[in-house]
Amino acid sequence: MHSLYGAIHRELSKIIETNNFYIALCDEARTQLQFAYFVDQNTPGEVGAVSRPFSSGMSEYIIRTGRPQYMLRHELEELISSGTITAYGLIPEVMLCSPLSIGERIIGVIAVQDYHKADAYAPTDLEILHFISNQVALAIERKRNEVQIQKQNARLNAIFESGSHLMWSVDTHSRLTSFNRNYAAYFLRRNGVYPAPNVNLFQADLAMMEEDARELFVENYRKAFQGQPQRFEVRLQDARGADSWREIFLNPIYLDDGSFEEISGIAHDITEKKHSQLELAAQEEKFRAIFESFQDVYYRTDDQGILTLVSPSVLDVLGYAAEDVVGTPISNYYIHSQERDNLLRVIQTDGDARNFPIEMRHKQGHNVSMLVNARLVSGGITGTEGIARDITTFNQMQIDLRRAKDEAESALEAKTLFLANMSHELRTPMNGIIGMIDLLHQTVSSEEQEEYVDTLRKSSDALLAILNDILDLSKIQAGKLQLNEEGMDLHYTLEKIHSLFANRAQQKRLTFSYHIAPNTPRFIVTDETRLLQILSNLTSNAIKFTSQGTVSIIVSTDKREDDEYKLRIAVQDSGIGISTENAKLLFTNFTQLDTTPTKAFGGTGLGLAISKQLAELLGGDIGVLSNEGDGSTFWFTLRCRAAYNEDEIVQERLASRERAPDITRFDTAPRVLLVDDNPINLKVAIRLLDKLGCEVAVADNGFEAISKATAPGSKFDLVFMDIQMPEMDGVAAMQEIRRRLGSACPPVVAMTAYSMKEDAERFVREGMDDYVSKPVKSQDLHSVLRRWVTAGPAMRPSSAALPVAEAAPAAVEEPPFIDPDVIEQLRQLGGAEFAAQLYQDFEVEVTQLLDEAQVLVQSGQYEQILPHLHQLKGTGFTLGLTLLAECAKEIEHNLKKGDQSTVEQDFQKLMDYFTRFKAVYPGVTSDL
């Protein structure tokens, strides 16, 4: 523009004087006046463009009036004086000004002036300046437009080439008319060559596309050529096979007359966005599939409890279509409205509810049991959402399982009862057999008879062992086999096993030995009986199935943690071995590897099965390593603790080695009442007791036993009482005898075929003094008679034996609260654990008994406590609690006489005795 202004200046100076010349331009709004070109004598050199706000100067005056002016100095001063114009700078002597007009529009002013000579210009020069001003205005406008167009083109070109967009245009003949660098680069990647103007785009590019993309482009170009702007998304693939997504815009390029000859195209990369959209769509589809395949019911409600969303599974669960329940109150489907209130209360308090049971209404009217997990909806929408599961079938399964469990427990109880009865029935004839063998052995007069009797004894013992195996297995399966863990000497146990089987091994000429590895504790705490049972079974099998070679027992420590040990005991033999297939059959009930009629080895197949379950009870496992024809190694593990009472264990071992006293006739014949309903048992027992020198009276039922035991003048030293008898069982008969005889009642010893340990504990708790298991032997009877008869009446203390408090001298030491002799008898009967358990059971039983009785005493119902006193008296005497039992007996005696005057004081004394018992017995039993 400056060159244009300079050219105008030069051409005008050829016509008139232009020493002081300027061109001033204004904007459309006439807010600014720019002196685009300015030459002045008072300002050396050219002055750059200067702007000022559009005001009231001479230039602004010419622009406002739109008329050319020839002004002398005095005319300018008059305008200044009148305030029409404002003077800026020096006032010239003469000035010619003409507006720059383009039609009616004035864009500025052109002026010449002289500061010294008023006649420097004539009025005719104004006509020349005005004529020239119109041409100058057109030239300036044209130039300004060109510059503006250039700037606009540069701006558009910058936009065209900048950014990541692809831009191109095509004419109506599908020829490429323009494109930017991005388009060229992408065209090269797709087609392997650069694009060129006028190339047919359909042939050069679209034809190379996949069919779906090509059809999409063609269809959208067709619509764009019809004047309809298009937007679409397309997946494209370059020459390397890489996929990308583009968003395409096709727009007609309209001319001023409304027609168009070209279509512009713009594309930008939306690959990441599209992948996100596709992934989101896939997730939504996945969620929808999950949502629609829900077996549980998903629901959402607003803050008013109106259902806003429900999964389609509601149709299968409750019979309603999802669209039918949306918009309805969820409370419509609750059977019990209180459950809805409770659920909301839990959610509002805790934020959520877990496994909340409710009953909902099916469309057909029946109840559906549901389990709900619900929470408050997070976000702007308040309400609840949750998942409800139909647990109707589950509840029915639980009912069925409980029923099945009850049936199984009933069956197990029936099985246990059956086994007890079978034990009784089997042991009853066994009692006759073994008893007669015992008697027959005492009449042997030759070696031949001795051999016959020995064969009978071994056969009966084998039969009894089979019976015991079956009972052991049944007790394990019933969960009634309990361990009796005590300290034991591992070396002594191995010595016993060696002694037990050494003769059998020697008969087969086998080398039989045992070895205990170093670092294996000698004294341990475990159930020695069960350990011996497993080890005996494995050793017996090893010797049975080994015809030559060796059998050895090896004990080692498998693992140790502080005082806890895991021992491994292995029995190795050089016998027949076991194949891999047969090894899998071991340790299962009633399984034998050889079941043919010609099998060489006998047995029930129970030994290993029992050993496996006993090993597991001991905290270990059992297994075998074997190859057929190459011997076997049966091993088992057990968990135990180190024992630190070595001296006590050694003393018990030495005591157990003492020779049992010889079975001799009693010098003074004990009077014995024998009660049994089985003639064979009576016959055997009579002969056994007769051999011991006893005077025997017989009763074959409970009623006859009561009659004989309580008959005037009859005095028995001991009663052997069978348990299972018709009409009245042995326990009931014993209790009635005790009731009638009181402290004069002789010891009553249960003699029965019941064989389980818990049976013995039950009989003692019910009042029996001792227990003998059938089949009975002379040694058993002799031991019981020595224990009870020879001990005399001290074992059954009476009221007469108790010291009178007033008469007792102060120096006499108070006797122990629990009779130590009774404690020792109980320990001998069932062991220390058995005795301690009796006193623990007594505490539990009597606590409840006295609580009931105290309520009756406080309410004055004294006679109602007689059964409580009777039970307390009998059990107290049995357990050696003489003071407590005598106190109960005295209260019972007074009440039966009708004397109730001291009941409350005596009952308080009884309570005090029981409190004393609870304080004393733990210390006494812990010393056992």
Side-chain angles (χ1 to χ4, degrees), residues 664-677:
T664 58
R665 292 176 62 88
F666 289 95
D667 295 334
T668 302
R671 295 197 71 238
V672 175
L673 175 60
L674 178 63
V675 185
D676 199 316
D677 66 312

Side-chain angles (χ1 to χ4, degrees), residues 1-275:
M1 292 295 292
H2 189 74
S3 60
L4 174 62
Y5 301 145
I8 294 171
H9 185 202
R10 287 192 300 273
E11 292 300 322
L12 185 60
S13 65
K14 294 178 183 179
I15 304 173
I16 60 176
E17 178 65 37
T18 58
N19 290 331
N20 298 291
F21 171 79
Y22 71 85
I23 297 173
L25 303 174
C26 67
D27 58 0
E28 291 288 339
R30 295 183 180 180
T31 60
Q32 289 287 325
L33 186 66
Q34 181 187 39
F35 291 88
Y37 190 83
F38 187 85
V39 177
D40 195 279
Q41 290 175 330
N42 296 315
T43 304
E46 294 183 4
V47 178
V50 177
S51 296
R52 76 180 185 205
F54 195 89
S55 58
S56 58
M58 187 62 191
S59 297
E60 290 91 333
Y61 178 74
I62 297 301
I63 293 171
R64 286 194 188 99
T65 61
R67 298 191 303 270
Q69 295 286 341
Y70 173 84
M71 304 287 290
L72 295 174
R73 182 183 179 89
H74 68 89
E75 292 174 325
L76 292 171
E77 289 175 347
E78 288 177 2
L79 291 173
I80 292 170
S81 298
S82 65
T84 304
I85 66 172
T86 301
Y88 292 97
L90 296 175
I91 300 174
E93 292 298 326
V94 64
M95 183 177 189
L96 299 179
C97 296
S98 178
L100 296 173
S101 302
I102 302 173
E104 298 296 328
R105 185 165 59 90
I106 298 174
I107 66 171
V109 65
I110 184 171
V112 293
Q113 56 189 356
D114 194 292
Y115 294 103
H116 303 292
K117 298 183 295 183
D119 59 353
Y121 302 107
T124 56
D125 292 335
L126 182 60
E127 295 178 4
I128 296 172
L129 184 63
H130 182 57
F131 174 77
I132 292 173
S133 68
N134 291 330
Q135 303 302 317
V136 169
L138 289 173
I140 291 173
E141 184 70 9
R142 187 179 302 111
K143 190 65 176 178
R144 286 172 69 177
N145 288 339
E146 289 176 359
V147 171
Q148 188 66 27
I149 290 171
Q150 289 174 358
K151 290 181 179 179
Q152 184 69 19
N153 286 339
R155 190 178 300 113
L156 290 174
N157 190 59
I159 295 172
F160 194 61
E161 295 294 347
S162 65
S164 60
H165 289 59
L166 311 182
M167 296 184 180
W168 72 98
S169 62
V170 294
D171 61 15
T172 54
H173 300 289
S174 304
R175 292 176 299 196
L176 191 61
T177 57
S178 65
F179 51 86
N180 65 358
R181 288 191 298 269
N182 292 332
Y183 181 86
Y186 185 72
F187 193 96
L188 176 64
R189 288 199 304 273
R190 272 188 45 77
N191 304 306
V193 296
Y194 280 104
N198 296 320
V199 68
N200 189 302
L201 190 63
F202 280 29
Q203 296 176 356
D205 188 26
L206 299 189
M208 309 295 291
M209 292 181 181
E210 295 81 3
E211 183 178 354
D212 293 343
R214 181 171 61 251
E215 291 179 355
L216 190 59
F217 264 102
V218 170
E219 178 63 20
N220 281 279
Y221 267 119
R222 184 184 64 78
K223 292 180 179 178
F225 281 128
Q226 292 175 355
Q228 304 171 18
Q230 298 297 308
R231 176 200 168 279
F232 61 97
E233 296 175 356
V234 63
R235 183 178 63 84
L236 299 174
Q237 194 174 68
D238 61 21
R240 293 174 296 182
D243 284 345
S244 65
W245 281 87
R246 302 284 168 168
E247 184 179 29
I248 312 294
F249 295 88
L250 300 178
N251 292 287
I253 303 175
Y254 287 98
L255 302 177
D256 292 340
D257 60 359
S259 64
F260 63 87
E261 297 178 351
E262 295 183 6
I263 299 295
S264 70
I266 300 176
H268 64 273
D269 192 344
I270 60 168
T271 303
E272 292 186 6
K273 173 185 173 183
K274 195 66 179 179
H275 285 169

Side-chain angles (χ1 to χ4, degrees), residues 378-391:
S378 58
I381 303 175
T382 59
T384 61
E385 66 176 353
I387 295 177
R389 171 168 295 182
D390 182 357
I391 58 170

